[in-house]
Amino acid sequence: MSLIPSFFGGRRSNIFDPFSLDVWDPFEGFPVSSLMANVPSSARETSAFANARIDWKETPEAHVFKVDVPGIKKEEVKVEVEEGRILQISGERSREQEEKNDQWHRMERSSGKFTRRFRLPENVKMGEIKAAMENGVLTVTVPKEEEKKPEVKAIDISG
């Protein structure tokens, strides 16, 4: 359940989720073309792709992250786990080379770097994390440890 209403740009934010290090941007989705006019193009390119879209679901067996990374090769994406159970997914989409005889009519595809970080819960198997990429979607699977049920021992009642 989202704690931030969907009228803030239609994005489900997880600002109060203790497992996420994402920062909610209250201005995301607002037209800022007049503000962006004075920003160098390199900064606009980086910010355009800075927030790769990620879905995070939990199944009984694992936490599954799905990241949209269209046009990026698997060699250009890094999946790392830092101390403190921090999962970091990062990468970069390079800008297409411009030939001097090319005449661009429109350039909408974003380029630049992205980094997303998530604090994993304590019940994960850190050594068994797997990542796969297919059709522009990176899937990171973080297996969970089996829940240990308390051992119940019956005691005979003497009479």
Side-chain angles (χ1 to χ4, degrees), residues 25-84:
D25 181 4
F27 300 105
E28 180 180 59
F30 283 90
V32 290
S33 56
S34 61
L35 297 172
M36 293 298 282
N38 296 327
V39 176
S41 63
S42 61
R44 283 196 304 267
E45 291 166 11
T46 300
S47 65
F49 193 58
N51 289 322
R53 300 295 185 199
I54 295 182
D55 292 337
W56 176 4
K57 72 176 178 180
E58 181 177 355
T59 68
E61 299 82 28
H63 291 271
V64 180
F65 297 83
K66 291 197 178 248
V67 188
D68 286 340
V69 286
I72 296 182
K73 299 174 187 155
K74 69 179 183 178
E75 296 82 17
E76 299 170 327
V77 177
K78 286 198 308 190
V79 178
E80 302 169 311
V81 179
E82 300 175 0
E83 281 188 49

Side-chain angles (χ1 to χ4, degrees), residues 75 110 113 132:
E75 296 82 17
S110 58
K113 296 179 182 181

Side-chain angles (χ1 to χ4, degrees), residues 88-100:
Q88 178 170 301
I89 302 170
S90 60
E92 181 174 6
R93 180 183 300 141
S94 302
R95 186 174 182 173
E96 191 171 321
Q97 290 287 37
E98 294 183 34
E99 299 294 325
K100 75 178 181 183

